[in-house]
Amino acid sequence: MSATDSLTGASDAAAPALQGPAGAGPSLVAAGLTVAIDGARLLDGVDFEARPGELHALLGPNGAGKSTLLGALAGDVTPTAGTVTLDGRPLAAWKLRELARVRAVLLQQHEVFFPFTVREVVEMGRAPWRGTDAEDDDERMIAEAMALTDVTALASRAVPSLSGGERARAALARVLAQGASTLMLDEPTAALDLKHQEDVMRLARERAASGDTVIVVLHDLNVAAAYADRVTLLQRGRVVASGKPRAVLTAERIGTVYGQDVEVLEHPRTGTPLILPLR
Ligand code: ADP
Ligand code: MG
C-alpha cells in the first residue's frame, strides 16, 4: 500500500469536492527536470509537484513538452538531468511492477490492441497484481472501470472496430482497472463528445476528491479552469506559471504563451474563469 492509499480511507466523505486530505504533502515531485534529445531541450529545468487530493492540469501549446513531462513523471522517459520522486522515493529506486501498482498512465497515443476485445484490454490493467491477493478484486475492478467509462456494452467488441472516442474510453478503463492511486492522463478528453468529456473530468475530480493524485494534460483551458485545483502552464519545455487556475490563466499570459489574444470573463454563477478567443 502506498501513502496515498492510506489517505483515501481517511478523507472525510462530507468534505467539499476538490478539497484534498488535510496536510497531505506532495506525492510526486520533480526537480530541475531536463530532457534533451539530439541537443534539443524538450524539458528545461522543470520543477513540479502534484499532491494527493488534487487534480493538477498540465497546459501549454502544441509541442510545449506536456507529454514529455508526463512521461518523465511516470518513469517512462529518463531525464537528462534532475530527479523525480514518488512518495518520497526516487523513481529509479522503484521496481517496474511496484510502480505499476501505484501509478497508472494513459498515453496520448493509445497503443494498438489489434487482436483484442475491449474486455481483454481492460483486463490488461490488472497485470501488475497477478499473483497477489489483490487478484481477488480483478472482476470488481474491471466491471467498475468499464461502467465508469461507459464501455460495458462494448465489452466483446474488437478494439479496431471502435470509434476514436470509444477506443479512448476503453484505454481509460484499462488505466482505471489498474487501481493505482496516482493517475496520469494525457489528453483523455481529446476524442470525446461533450457528455463523455464531462464524465471523464467528473471522474478525475472524484478520484482526486477521494485522495488520489491526478495529473491531466488538457487542451481546453475552460475545462481546466472548471475542474483543476492547480494548473501548470508550459511553454518550450519550461514552466511559465503554476498555481490556481484563476491566478495562472490571465488574458495577458494566455495571449503571450499561445500567441492568441483572449478575453477572460467570470462565469456569472460559478465564478470560474471563462476563456474566449478574441474574434
Ligand atoms: P506536447 O505534449 O506539449 O504537445 P511533447 O512533449 O510531445 O509536447 O513534445 C515536446 C517537443 O519535443 C515537441 O516539439 C516534439 O516535436 C519534440 N519531441 C518529442 N519527442 C521527441 C523525440 N523523441 N525526439 C525529438 N523531438 C521530440
Ligand atoms: Mg502531448
Side-chain angles (χ1 to χ4, degrees), residues 37 42 61-68 108:
I37 297 181
L42 278 49
N62 295 143
K66 305 177 295 295
S67 295
T68 306
Q108 187 174 8

Side-chain angles (χ1 to χ4, degrees), residues 173-210:
R174 181 182 60 97
V175 168
L176 295 176
Q178 209 171 316
S181 55
T182 294
L183 287 181
M184 304 179 177
L185 311 176
D186 200 344
E187 299 195 29
T189 58
L192 304 188
D193 62 41
L194 190 59
K195 179 205 183 296
H196 287 109
Q197 165 186 291
E198 295 300 307
D199 280 350
V200 166
M201 292 312 298
R202 272 191 291 268
L203 176 67
R205 185 163 69 181
E206 281 161 16
R207 292 290 298 252
S210 72

Side-chain angles (χ1 to χ4, degrees), residues 6-71:
S6 61
L7 289 166
T8 308
S11 71
D12 180 359
L18 297 188
Q19 195 166 65
S27 64
L28 192 59
V29 180
L33 215 52
T34 296
V35 173
I37 297 181
D38 298 335
R41 287 184 173 234
L42 278 49
L43 293 180
D44 192 0
V46 168
D47 297 324
F48 177 86
E49 283 186 7
R51 293 168 185 272
E54 285 190 353
L55 197 168
H56 196 135
L58 291 181
L59 306 174
N62 295 143
K66 305 177 295 295
S67 295
T68 306
L69 177 55
L70 205 72

Side-chain angles (χ1 to χ4, degrees), residues 79-207:
T80 314
T83 55
V84 180
T85 58
L86 176 61
D87 292 338
R89 279 167 67 196
L91 279 190
W94 288 78
K95 292 197 182 92
L96 214 57
R97 200 150 184 252
E98 279 178 338
L99 208 52
R101 291 175 189 164
V102 295
R103 65 100 181 95
V105 189
L106 179 73
L107 297 175
Q108 187 174 8
Q109 270 83 32
H110 310 136
E111 304 90 311
V112 179
F113 295 110
F114 180 64
F116 299 109
T117 65
V118 168
R119 158 85 201 191
E120 286 167 336
V121 165
V122 181
E123 280 173 5
M124 289 174 198
R126 299 300 299 164
W129 301 100
R130 209 160 285 154
T132 73
D133 289 349
E135 262 188 332
D136 296 346
D137 298 331
D138 282 2
E139 269 313 309
R140 183 179 57 82
M141 296 292 286
I142 291 165
E144 275 180 22
M146 292 206 296
L148 284 167
T149 53
D150 196 19
V151 296
T152 310
L154 305 172
S156 55
R157 290 272 302 276
V159 169
S161 77
L162 302 178
S163 78
E166 291 166 344
R167 206 175 298 188
R169 277 151 43 212
L172 180 59
R174 181 182 60 97
V175 168
L176 295 176
Q178 209 171 316
S181 55
T182 294
L183 287 181
M184 304 179 177
L185 311 176
D186 200 344
E187 299 195 29
T189 58
L192 304 188
D193 62 41
L194 190 59
K195 179 205 183 296
H196 287 109
Q197 165 186 291
E198 295 300 307
D199 280 350
V200 166
M201 292 312 298
R202 272 191 291 268
L203 176 67
R205 185 163 69 181
E206 281 161 16
R207 292 290 298 252

